[in-house]
Amino acid sequence: MAPTINWALDLLVGWVGLSIPPDAAVGYVLAALVQVGMILNLAAVGGLVFIWLERKIAGRIQDRLGPTRVGGRFGWLQTVADGLKLLTKEDLMPTSADSLLFRVAPYIGVAASVAAFVALPFAGGPHPFVVQRLDIAVFFVLAVLGLEVFSIILAGYSSASKWSLFGAMREAAQVVSYEVPLGLCAVVPVMLAGSMDLVTVGDVQRGGFWNWHVLNDPFTLIVFCVYFTCATASVNRAPFDLAEAESELVGGFHTEYSGMRWSFFFLAEYSSMLLVSLLAAILFLGAWHGPVPLGMNGEGWLGSVVGLGVANYLGNLLGLACLMTKGVFLVIIMMWVRWSMPRLRIDQVMTTCLKYCTPLAAVCFLGATAWQAAFPAGLLWRPPTPGLVEISEQKTSPGGAAARSQGREPLEAIGYALPPLRGFSTEAPQ
Amino acid sequence: MILASLVTEPVGVAHYLIVGAVLFIAGIVCMATKRNLLGVLMGVELVLNGANVNFIAIGSPYLRGDAASVGLDGQLMALFVIVLAAAEAAVALAIALNFYNTVHTIDVDAADQLRG
Amino acid sequence: MIWHSVLFTLFAAIACGFAMAVVFTSNVVRMAFYLVISLSATSGLFFLAGADFVGAMQLMIYVGGTLVLLIFGVMLTAQQRFVQMRPSRSEVLLAGLLGAALLVLLASAAVGVPTWRGSGPKAAALDEPPLTATPIALGLLGFRVDGDPDDGQNRAGYLLPFEIISVHLLVVLVGAAYLARTRLTAGSLAQQPPGGFEQDAAEDRIAEVEAIAADSPGTEGPPT
């Protein structure tokens, strides 16, 4: 993106006789600002919409209307009005609080949940919509998302309040319970795709809904359910919202917060809800691919009508719409669960995660591995994936040529499909 | 002068080694001066982390070029260090818990029961 | 101006500054917080050096492990008398002097090797993000894809160390759970002095330790 911006700027300043080289700093700074701005907007606007949506859904589930006044019949502007109210509230801090940690805690949560979007692709194909395509994107997203609990524990500790500390301790007990099954579940689609790159994980599910990882075999269906349960726990949503159990702990970890700092916790919560939902959609629900082949990525009829480049872009937009639809659908399910299920006790949370979810995920991991070994090509028709075609073409990919030259068996003999290795020579040494 | 050269000149292995040294020294001083058992543990974490920085720097293809770098060995070693640090933290925490249950404090100076 | 160097300076300053802050503060919870920031900045340094897998691993395990330290800090030191514990002034002075001397030694050694200084073109060509996950996973399986087999540099794989460390980790976890549990069951809960924690607190703590022990196996196999 940066060279494109520099090229455009070069055209602009060309009128006054100046020139900008393609690798000028200004392009990189602008590109970074644009991408950061888009992610921040997604988190903030997503938060606005989801809070309104949650109130409407809660109303419907409880047989009432929800917000109806601010901004017309459906209360569209209710969240904006709430935000204005929060802005004007006094910012309080308890005298015995640890002032530094108390101030810093909300920002850590927001920073962690927004930073995880950096590695999340919104559309795939040859030119994916992603800020930074990482080889280890799944791992990175989970690791950064794990930092969010710091904000809750620090807030709970630094408030110097009994209720807050209870909330923080519950969160601590909860985080060590759900992280194990969450990680185990995320490994299964990674194993099926043969890569931790989210773009590749999404693109191997192309073709149709029968190719989605969730429908790959019976085990992945269970794994998806376990993942979604643990993801709900990881974003502190009911029935796992023990850290802020408002009927027992006043407000839990945010008891002492008010005004904007308080709302930052909710911004973080809603944007990480969207994040884990999008991650679930990419890992299990076919990512940016529609339930039937929609002619994305420039293939099919669209490419022949408007040209490949434009078709790629349009296909990416279509994929973005698909992915967001799936993500928002999962977020709505989380809200539905929240307003229909009673809250678990802390020991029940730990029992659920450690005694049921973890063994279930482990067994399903083994089952999915066995299924993959039994039916490596799947049961139904699967179109070739660009990334993986390369693998089968460069038969002996990494170091294989070198191994052959030494008379050893190539790496493919161990039976794993490998993603192409950029930066490593695949040619035989002369 | 030196500060300006930090942003205008390419980073080499030496830069990383100095960072590693600072982390290492901070960890050592932390281990030596803290009376809180958990503070001593954090010092150990810092020391291991400083060692990791050195491994990564020596193994990085960007800093030394492919020929001079030790390749993936650096990263693999760093991985082993991280895993061992996790194991060390688990055992040390169990010991800290036992210690607290025995003497009802986490002041390491209280651990003098083996004195002859 | 080189972006790589700017970012390196930024992350290095954060890592070193907060490592120093860990040394100089005496509040245990703040210490843990500074440690988390220092470790996170170090993972940024790893990303800059092209070791993205190790960087993410650092974030997940090291920082997550420190989270556990933080929780224990809160649990064990929630009483006010433990929050601040200072060593004597002479100890601090001695440790500081020795540390400074060692730092000067290490830094001069690091700067003294000519091939360790920054080399221009290599550090500048950083546009392509590295691919390290698959080579590392293959290395752990015993296959090395880096290095050139022709010039005698065929490097060894790490299958045996990987297996050893997996078993080691399992043993450590069982041992840690056992260590933390025996004291609480066989020990004298009934003979706790006044002011010690009560029964449910002890049970909560058992649950915590079990949870922590169960958490760490996730660190064992890098999911590649």
Side-chain angles (χ1 to χ4, degrees), chain A residues 259-281:
Chain A
M260 275 319 277
R261 286 187 213 287
W262 180 83
S263 63
F264 275 133
F265 283 118
F266 283 86
L267 185 60
E269 177 178 326
Y270 280 91
S271 67
S272 49
M273 254 167 88
L274 181 61
L275 181 78
V276 293
S277 298
L278 288 177
L279 191 62

Side-chain angles (χ1 to χ4, degrees), chain B residues 1-56:
Chain B
M1 177 63 194
I2 294 176
L3 282 180
S5 75
L6 272 181
V7 295
T8 52
E9 282 174 18
V11 170
V13 175
H15 295 74
Y16 271 81
L17 291 190
I18 289 176
V19 174
V22 171
L23 292 178
F24 180 81
I25 300 298
I28 291 281
V29 175
C30 198
M31 280 155 70
T33 59
K34 296 290 179 197
R35 284 176 58 200
N36 192 324
L37 190 49
L38 294 161
V40 178
L41 268 182
M42 290 177 202
V44 177
E45 302 274 337
L46 272 180
V47 167
L48 292 172
N49 200 40
N52 260 353
V53 172
N54 289 4
F55 276 128
I56 294 292

